[in-house]
């Protein structure tokens, strides 16, 4: 970066910081909630070098193994355990993850799936898709495609199981997303779903899922997520310090820590206080 560009960028960041970053945060929130603006936003995010970090969720504790991202992987394994317990695990499964990010959670699931599997990861960001193909290309039964959660590029009845982890809050249209999930699932299909909720929104979103044609009982795993955030905080802080752009880290450190829900951050405290919940479900598509 040239000296002039560097100081211009620094001046911009300083100005944003001087107002508490309110304008930047407001723009980010609007971009996340706007379907046509999310693509460039997440493309920039996934175009950044995040090193070995391939799985991005708040995590579940206790977790098995000693992988650095074991808490994030465990969230996927908990959903698989719910599928097993439902009695709906088939000898062969066609699986779709919507908003797969950098694909680490899905790849971990593929490696541990108890049966024959063809898996597809979909993400709105082309950079995410490219990162997935580079990181997980050795898995012959896993492919990645670009597409929108609100207009899934697949025919009706294409999948046995659809997976969605910590992404639906960004879509801006729960009902539309849930209808798309119903459309691409086969008549006996299963929706493995996990996300956070403001306490007042938990029941309305569950009702929206049922209205979209699913039988669903939600499991509150907030305390498991809180413990994962607490135990995993040192790794998350190190990843942010190592990989976040210097200017962003300098002026928006608190926002980055809250995004990652590290211990003591705003987001972490919302989970602790019960103002924000973490729920998951193994929802079954109702018979027509």
């Amino acid at each position: 970066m040239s000296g002039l560009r560097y100081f211009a960028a620094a001046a911009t960041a300083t100005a944003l910081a001087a107002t508490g970053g309110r304008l930047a945060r407001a723009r980010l929130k609007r971009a996340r909630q706007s379907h046509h603006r999310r693509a460039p936003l997440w493309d920039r995010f996934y175009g950044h070098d995040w090193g070995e970090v391939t799985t991005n969720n708040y995590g579940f504790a206790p977790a098995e193994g000693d992988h650095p991202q074991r808490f994030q992987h465990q969230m996927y394994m908990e959903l698989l355990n719910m599928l097993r317990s439902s009695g709906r695990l088939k000898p062969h499964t066609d699986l779709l993850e919507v908003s797969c990010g950098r694909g680490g959670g899905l790849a971990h699931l593929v490696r541990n799936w108890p049966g024959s599997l063809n898996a597809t990861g979909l993400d709105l960001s082309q950079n995410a898709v490219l990162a997935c193909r580079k990181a997980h290309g050795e898995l012959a039964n896993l492919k990645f495609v670009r597409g929108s959660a609100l207009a899934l590029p697949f025919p009706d009845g294409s999948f046995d199981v659809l997976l969605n982890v910590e992404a639906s809050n960004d879509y801006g249209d729960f009902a539309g997303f849930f209808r798309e999930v119903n459309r691409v699932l086969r008549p006996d299909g299963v929706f493995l779903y996990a996300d956070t909720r403001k306490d007042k929104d938990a029941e309305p979103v569950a009702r929206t899922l049922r209205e979209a044609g699913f039988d669903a009982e939600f499991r509150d795993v907030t305390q498991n997520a809180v413990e994962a955030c607490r135990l995993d905080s040192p790794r998350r802080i190190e990843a942010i310090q190592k990989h976040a752009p210097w200017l962003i880290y300098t002026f928006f450190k608190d926002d980055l820590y809250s995004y990652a829900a590290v211990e003591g951050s705003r987001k972490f405290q919302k989970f602790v206080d019960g103002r924000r919940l973490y729920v998951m479900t193994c929802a079954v598509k109702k018979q027509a």
Side-chain angles (χ1 to χ4, degrees):
M1 178 182 290
S2 70
L4 180 60
R5 289 175 59 198
Y6 175 85
F7 285 113
T12 300
T14 303
L16 288 171
T19 62
R22 293 193 188 98
L23 179 60
R25 284 191 287 271
R27 286 176 174 172
L28 177 61
K29 183 177 180 180
R30 288 196 297 271
R32 289 178 65 184
Q33 294 176 343
S34 170
H35 186 64
H36 74 277
R37 294 171 66 187
R38 281 192 300 112
L41 171 68
W42 288 116
D43 222 34
R44 287 193 294 272
F45 179 84
Y46 286 115
H48 185 69
D49 179 13
W50 292 103
E52 299 301 314
V53 178
T54 63
T55 314
N56 185 28
N57 64 63
Y58 291 123
F60 187 102
E64 297 177 356
D66 57 2
H67 192 282
Q69 297 167 71
R70 60 191 177 279
F71 299 107
Q72 288 71 33
H73 291 168
Q74 190 66 38
M75 187 65 73
Y76 284 77
M77 297 307 293
E78 290 300 313
L79 289 166
L80 174 57
N81 290 338
M82 292 184 77
L83 177 61
R84 281 173 164 150
S85 297
S86 75
R88 293 178 177 273
L89 181 62
K90 297 180 176 181
H92 174 80
T93 301
D94 291 317
L95 169 71
L96 170 67
E97 181 177 17
V98 176
S99 299
C100 62
R102 290 170 62 87
L106 179 57
H108 182 77
L109 202 60
V110 168
R111 293 187 180 98
N112 291 277
W113 195 267
S116 174
L117 178 73
N118 283 326
T120 302
L122 174 142
D123 202 276
L124 187 64
S125 165
Q126 183 62 26
N127 281 331
V129 171
L130 294 175
C132 286
R133 290 172 179 169
K134 180 178 179 180
H136 315 297
E138 81 282 2
L139 295 171
N141 59 339
L142 174 58
K143 65 180 180 181
F144 297 94
V145 300
R146 184 177 182 272
S148 167
L150 299 180
L152 295 172
F154 306 103
D156 296 359
S158 295
F159 299 98
D160 302 299
V161 176
L162 191 144
L163 175 68
N164 187 249
V165 178
E166 261 180 60
S168 63
N169 286 321
D170 278 342
Y171 301 159
D173 184 359
F174 287 114
F177 171 54
F178 294 154
R179 286 194 298 268
E180 275 295 274
V181 174
N182 187 294
R183 181 185 66 79
V184 301
L185 281 175
R186 290 171 181 146
D188 56 348
V190 174
F191 181 27
L192 300 178
Y193 178 60
D195 213 337
T196 71
R197 291 284 177 271
K198 293 180 180 178
D199 54 350
K200 65 182 179 64
D201 293 336
E203 177 50 35
V205 175
R207 184 170 59 249
T208 301
L209 179 59
R210 291 191 289 268
E211 290 170 351
F214 289 92
D215 289 321
E217 292 185 9
F218 280 83
R219 173 186 172 194
D220 187 335
V221 295
T222 307
Q223 293 309 308
N224 302 93
V226 166
E227 184 65 2
C229 290
R230 186 183 69 79
L231 293 172
D232 199 32
S233 285
R235 183 193 67 86
R236 299 180 195 188
I237 291 171
E238 181 182 10
I240 290 170
Q241 291 175 341
K242 183 176 180 180
H243 296 292
W246 177 81
L247 285 172
I248 299 298
Y249 177 79
T250 300
F251 295 109
F252 296 99
K253 180 178 73 172
D254 290 345
D255 296 283
L256 291 170
Y257 285 0
S258 184
Y259 170 78
V262 302
E263 187 172 16
S265 68
R266 295 189 304 275
K267 182 65 66 63
F268 179 86
Q269 198 59 45
K270 288 180 180 179
F271 284 130
V272 171
D273 295 342
R275 288 176 289 155
R276 196 161 194 93
L277 306 177
Y278 202 117
V279 296
M280 59 170 49
T281 186
C282 175
V284 179
K285 180 175 176 176
K286 296 177 184 176
Q287 297 297 320

